[in-house]
Amino acid sequence: MVGRISSAWSRSWRTADLAGAFRRPISIVAIAPTICGVLAAVCANLTTGCTASWYAADADREVHTLLADYEDRVLGDRQDWVRYPDPQVEAPPTDGGGADVDSVTSRSVGDGKSVIGTSQDSDDRDSPTKVGIEGSETEPGAVSAAAAEPMLLDLPTALSIAFTSSRRFKDREEALYLRGLGFTLTRYNFGPILNSTVSYLWTNVEDGINDDSAGLTFGASQVLHTGGDLSVSSALNTSRADDPNLFDVHQSVLFNSSIQVNLRQPLLRGAGYEASHESLTQGERDLIYEIRAFELFRQDFSIEVAGDYYRLVSQQRRLANDERNYLDATFDREKAEALRQVDRNQDDDVFLAQRREIDAEDALLVARTDYQLALDNFKILLGLPTAAAIDIVADEPEFLPVRVDPDSTVQVAYHNRLDLHTARDRLEDTERRVRLAKNALLPDWDVTIDYRFDSDTDRALRKATPEHWTTTLGVDFEIPVNRKAERNAYRSAQIGLERARRDYARLLDEVRRDILDQVRELAQLEKRIRLQTDKMAQDEKAVAVTQIRYEAGDADNRDLLDARQGLIDAQNSLIALKVQHFTARLRLLRNTGVMFVNVNGMWQE
């Protein structure tokens, strides 16, 4: 059932009879030149100045300003509100007789900010060096693919290049840009929307009456915070009939004009800011989520580049060890053959030395191939062409033990992590959708008010002034006899809310599990590094002793070969463990929300 109450007043009422703001008639003659001039300027600008490149530049300006504003809102004071885990009350005792791991770091843990120490300080780094790639401008220090001298890459330089040239990084930047670009349209739709048209129509009828007409309209509309829609429109029309000469301005011309104001306000379903501005609210929150996700990507990407960099360093060390092992194997083979010639060795010793030389050469060939592949993959990650010549600075990752209280670390992660902030906000989104689905069950009850001024049609433009008014008041009420779809949507929203709550609880459990596992893994790696350091020291002594015994004739060639291989394995394992510990420590920084990455990709606490 729909009921409507409407009323209309006769046109015989003139503007001069109205009170208040409508006491004086509106002079179309006074405002017409101004409107025409403004519209002419706008049309000229649109046809000459608003090129495709202008629109692209305008979009960039608006989106970059928008993103800078929201990034400052979301991340600007992050260092002020993050918490840090408490230091461990008692450090675990040192096992064995090896070096004390605690002596590696000299950082204080008094302020709680250095218990997960980091070896980099982004404030002391220079600005990133831009690399000339795919036609981009080359800054001083940049090297092209065809450069004769290889580019020397340390970790800060590699991170700077990655955050400037990496294709993956640019893809994520563009995803953030597109999210901001979409929000600009959403925000625009909830602001005052202007519209204006200029029209002309000429009709030529055989053996009939010829006529032409022109029109000018201008209007604006706005979605109100109450859920209503307010629109204002105006029109100026002119026409002439029986015109044998189209360009004869002395023909009789008729003018008329109008102004209209319309308001539609829901009272039940769709009323209020939450219901009417849902797309604006969700669009803004989605932009915030994307900013947080991009910040987490920057942290993950920095860790990935650093991990790959130090894995390359590790492969460099392994390759150097394999090269030294091959040279030693060649020397041992030649020595074994020489000793066999003077009957100081057996044939088995010569065969063993030859086989070890073959195995060492085979391992060296595999190591070189693997290193070149890893180097090419690293170039692709940084956004460099694979033909670019680069050298990796063999900096070993700094070993900083982690001393944190596990339970405190978990609580810090709950408070700091950006993805958990997003998860909590998404849970609020689900709760809001339940309220909106509940609102959709209400009946439609809308009030419509329309106020219109019209003029008489006159041959004189100055007399075509709106002076007759008409007011319409309408009330629409819908009896909700068909709410099956809305009922199902409401029930689905309720179930979705329960699922979201379970998912959030599961996410908290997973975060706790992962944090505790990372703390345990770091403690395990530190013990393994300590054990491997002791083992390498023992293997070095074993090689020295076996070498002396072998030269004295008290040990055979097999003993010497086994001792040297054991030392090579211990050296390679120690490098790999240090790289693994370094990456795990950065990952713990990220997962507790205390990692901050600057524009160059360097991290700091």
Side-chain angles (χ1 to χ4, degrees), residues 310-379:
Y310 282 121
R311 276 186 283 273
L312 276 173
V313 173
S314 174
Q315 287 184 273
Q316 266 188 346
R317 299 288 179 86
R318 293 173 66 99
L319 182 59
N321 291 337
D322 289 338
E323 289 175 346
R324 185 167 56 251
N325 185 42
Y326 172 67
L327 294 177
D328 291 342
T330 301
F331 175 79
D332 291 341
R333 189 263 304 164
E334 294 173 349
K335 184 176 181 179
E337 291 175 347
L339 291 175
R340 181 69 185 94
Q341 291 178 0
V342 295
D343 291 334
R344 290 188 56 187
N345 254 352
Q346 302 296 323
D347 290 338
D348 291 345
D349 295 330
V350 176
F351 295 151
L352 184 62
Q354 291 174 344
R355 188 176 66 180
R356 178 174 178 269
E357 182 185 24
I358 293 174
D359 293 341
E361 184 176 8
D362 180 75
L364 178 59
L365 293 174
V366 172
R368 285 174 176 170
T369 303
D370 292 344
Y371 179 74
Q372 289 300 323
L373 177 60
L375 198 62
D376 288 341
N377 289 335
F378 191 63
K379 295 175 189 176

Side-chain angles (χ1 to χ4, degrees), residues 462-507:
R462 65 178 180 276
K463 294 183 179 180
T465 301
E467 54 186 10
H468 304 294
W469 58 271
T470 303
T471 300
T472 303
L473 173 64
V475 178
D476 295 337
F477 181 80
E478 177 195 19
I479 297 178
V481 296
N482 184 7
R483 284 292 184 268
K484 181 73 71 175
E486 289 79 1
R487 182 207 67 176
N488 293 348
Y490 176 63
R491 189 67 187 113
S492 298
Q494 288 181 319
I495 295 174
L497 177 59
E498 295 301 321
R499 286 182 174 179
R501 288 170 176 167
R502 291 195 299 270
D503 291 342
Y504 178 68
R506 181 174 63 249
L507 178 60

Side-chain angles (χ1 to χ4, degrees), residues 11 233 258-261 450-454 468-471:
R11 285 189 174 185
S233 61
S258 65
I259 297 177
Q260 183 177 9
V261 180
D450 187 86
Y451 192 84
R452 181 182 180 91
F453 270 115
D454 290 290
H468 304 294
W469 58 271
T470 303
T471 300

Side-chain angles (χ1 to χ4, degrees), residues 1-247:
M1 173 184 293
V2 178
R4 177 176 296 277
I5 304 173
S6 61
S7 61
W9 285 264
S10 171
R11 285 189 174 185
S12 60
W13 288 85
R14 300 181 59 86
T15 309
D17 297 328
L18 299 179
F22 303 107
R23 185 174 302 277
R24 297 182 58 188
I26 301 174
S27 175
I28 198 70
V29 177
I31 66 174
T34 302
I35 296 177
C36 293
V38 171
L39 290 176
V42 171
C43 292
N45 181 62
L46 292 175
T47 55
T48 60
C50 298
T51 62
S53 60
W54 183 90
Y55 281 113
D58 183 63
D60 289 343
R61 285 191 296 269
E62 182 178 6
V63 173
H64 291 157
T65 302
L66 174 73
L67 292 180
D69 179 35
Y70 274 86
E71 284 175 3
D72 183 66
R73 294 189 202 178
V74 178
L75 305 174
D77 60 343
R78 181 167 163 249
Q79 295 193 24
D80 298 331
W81 55 259
V82 297
R83 299 174 184 172
Y84 292 88
D86 297 331
Q88 198 172 39
V89 178
E90 293 182 0
T94 302
D95 297 335
D100 187 2
V101 179
D102 294 337
S103 64
V104 177
T105 179
S106 61
R107 293 173 177 257
S108 170
V109 297
D111 58 358
K113 293 187 178 182
S114 57
V115 291
I116 314 177
T118 174
S119 61
Q120 309 294 342
D121 186 356
S122 63
D123 291 338
D124 297 332
R125 301 297 174 185
D126 296 330
S127 59
T129 301
K130 296 183 179 179
V131 180
I133 301 171
E134 298 177 359
S136 62
E137 295 183 1
T138 305
E139 298 292 336
V143 180
S144 64
E149 293 295 330
M151 178 169 54
L152 198 61
L153 283 185
D154 57 3
L155 180 58
T157 304
L159 286 169
S160 176
I161 293 173
F163 273 60
T164 304
S165 306
S166 171
R167 300 173 182 90
R168 281 178 51 198
F169 192 85
K170 290 181 178 179
D171 288 343
R172 290 295 285 113
E173 278 186 323
E174 290 170 350
L176 177 61
Y177 177 92
L178 292 175
R179 177 68 70 179
L181 186 65
F183 181 65
T184 60
L185 178 59
T186 303
R187 187 173 62 174
Y188 170 81
N189 290 333
F190 284 88
I193 299 178
L194 306 180
N195 60 84
S196 180
T197 59
V198 178
S199 61
Y200 176 79
L201 178 64
W202 175 58
T203 305
N204 187 11
V205 181
E206 183 180 3
D207 299 330
I209 298 176
N210 302 327
D211 66 83
D212 62 338
S213 60
L216 171 64
T217 65
F218 181 81
S221 61
Q222 170 74 59
V223 179
L224 304 179
H225 284 196
T226 59
D229 297 320
L230 177 65
S231 63
V232 179
S233 61
S234 61
L236 174 62
N237 300 303
T238 178
S239 63
R240 55 183 175 176
D242 196 16
D243 184 5
N245 185 358
L246 175 63
F247 301 101

